[in-house]
Structure formats: C-alpha cells, structure tokens
Amino acid sequence: MKSDLRQELFGIASYEKITLKRVLFIIIAAFLCILVNYAGSVLAEVVVFPLYLDSLLTIGIASLCGLIPAIACAVLSNVVLSLFTHCSILFTVCHICTAVFAWLVFYHYRRKSFPQQTLYNFDSFLWAGFWAAITNAILGNIIADLVFAANTGRPSANTVVQGMYVVIPNLFLVNNIAGLVENFVDKILSALLSFCFYKAGVRILNKL
C-alpha cells in the first residue's frame, strides 16, 4: 500500500477533503486525550493507586489522528502534569515513546492489512501497549535511577517500590522490576480504553 504522508501525520488522507469538521474533531479529540490523561494521573495520586494512568488515551489518539497529534498530546499531557502534580517533566520522553511506538504499530498494521481490513483490531492496540510498556519501563527506570535515586516523585508509583524493598533490599533491582510490572499493567489498561475511544471516534468520523 502506498503511504500517504498526510494520513500518517494527521489522520486525514489526501484523497479526503479537509473540512473544518475534521480539523475540529482532531482538536477536540486531542483536548479530550489530555484531559483524560491528566485526570487519570491525578486519580492515581489521590487514591494512591500503584499505576501511572497518565497516558490512558494516547494510543487512541495515535490510531485516530496520526503521529503529530499523538506527540502533541503526549507533550502537553506531561507539561500540564508537571505544572499541577508531582510528575517530573523529564518523564515526557516516556510519554513521547508511547505515542511514537503506538503510531509505528498502527503504521505497520496499515501497511500489512489495509485495504483488505479498514479498521484496527484489538490486537494492534495490545501490541501498541506492549511496546509502550517496554520503552516506558526502560526509559522511566533509567530516569528514576540516575536522576531521582529510584524515586519517581509520585506516591502512587513509589508505593510498590517501597513494599518490594522490604522483601528485596536492593533499590535498583526493585525499582526496575516494579517499573516493568507497573508499566505493563498500565499500558494494557491504556490499550483497552484507547480501543474503546477509537471505536467511538471512528463512528463520529464516518458521519463527518
């Protein structure tokens, strides 16, 4: 399948007429993504839930709107979180990886399956979540180890580390194990919510 740059970057193919409704859809979807990401992260801190919940719809934006809106959502979500919560701006690189690797998974899927199958299946979202979890765990643990002495600054994430440290008194090892487990669970949840977001978004797009 011949790749369309506009489709890849913004989710609007060149053979489609770029309308105000479609542009507004991308803007509103991106704003909703940032709002849900922020709310999820705040909720995790308030209830001290041992997940990040700061990228709940980022995979969904990558599937609906392409690479640029996904990266924009990732960056803006972390900027807002760094301003109003304990999240460090340094972890923006992890969120960008979520957006980029999700987009790469969907790009590969389009090249392999389209036009025979025009909608993404849930497997593609799980793969997006898998690669996001791997990259986030690696980069997040490196940042936490080197910059914050294995302390992410987020009580919800540190709870698991503190609990495991009682059993395994090796902070580096515990931080990496906890980060990997937390990221996998976190990104599976993100994949599920993003898939629901994608299905709803496709229905709206079909009416525009």
Side-chain angles (χ1 to χ4, degrees):
M1 185 192 77
K2 185 178 180 180
S3 179
D4 186 291
L5 184 60
R6 197 179 310 180
Q7 171 70 38
E8 304 301 341
L9 296 181
F10 297 101
I12 301 178
S14 59
Y15 59 85
E16 296 172 331
K17 183 178 180 181
I18 299 178
T19 63
L20 179 60
K21 289 182 179 180
R22 285 185 174 273
V23 174
L24 286 176
F25 171 83
I26 293 175
I27 294 173
I28 293 172
F31 178 79
L32 180 61
C33 171
I34 296 169
L35 181 63
V36 171
N37 288 347
Y38 174 77
S41 182
V42 170
L43 177 64
E45 285 201 10
V46 170
V47 302
V48 196
F49 192 59
L51 293 177
Y52 306 104
L53 303 183
D54 59 353
S55 59
L56 289 174
L57 293 185
T58 304
I59 294 173
I61 282 291
S63 67
L64 277 174
C65 305
L67 179 62
I68 301 302
I71 292 177
C73 286
V75 173
L76 292 175
S77 293
N78 275 74
V79 167
V80 174
L81 286 170
S82 68
L83 290 175
F84 298 105
T85 71
H86 297 94
C87 180
S88 170
I89 194 67
L90 293 178
F91 290 104
T92 302
V93 66
C94 298
H95 207 155
I96 291 175
C97 281
T98 297
V100 172
F101 276 83
W103 174 79
L104 285 172
V105 168
F106 296 127
Y107 174 77
H108 172 74
Y109 189 84
R110 282 193 301 274
R111 299 281 293 182
K112 180 180 178 181
S113 302
F114 286 19
Q116 290 83 3
Q117 186 172 342
T118 57
L119 294 177
Y120 301 124
N121 56 31
F122 186 52
D123 288 350
S124 60
F125 284 80
L126 287 178
W127 277 112
F130 172 81
W131 290 113
I134 293 294
T135 56
N136 277 227
I138 294 173
L139 291 174
N141 288 338
I142 290 175
I143 294 172
D145 289 335
L146 296 182
V147 181
F148 300 107
N151 186 343
T152 64
R154 302 183 61 174
S156 59
N158 291 333
T159 300
V160 176
V161 175
Q162 293 166 1
M164 292 179 64
Y165 185 72
V166 175
V167 180
I168 307 174
N170 185 316
L171 191 57
F172 176 81
L173 178 61
V174 166
N175 182 60
N176 281 271
I177 294 174
L180 184 62
V181 173
E182 288 171 355
N183 270 291
F184 266 109
V185 178
D186 188 78
K187 295 306 180 288
I188 289 175
L189 181 59
S190 297
L192 175 60
L193 292 178
S194 289
F195 181 68
C196 296
F197 179 72
Y198 167 74
K199 298 289 284 186
V202 167
R203 292 177 183 175
I204 296 173
L205 276 173
N206 289 337
K207 297 178 181 179
L208 298 181

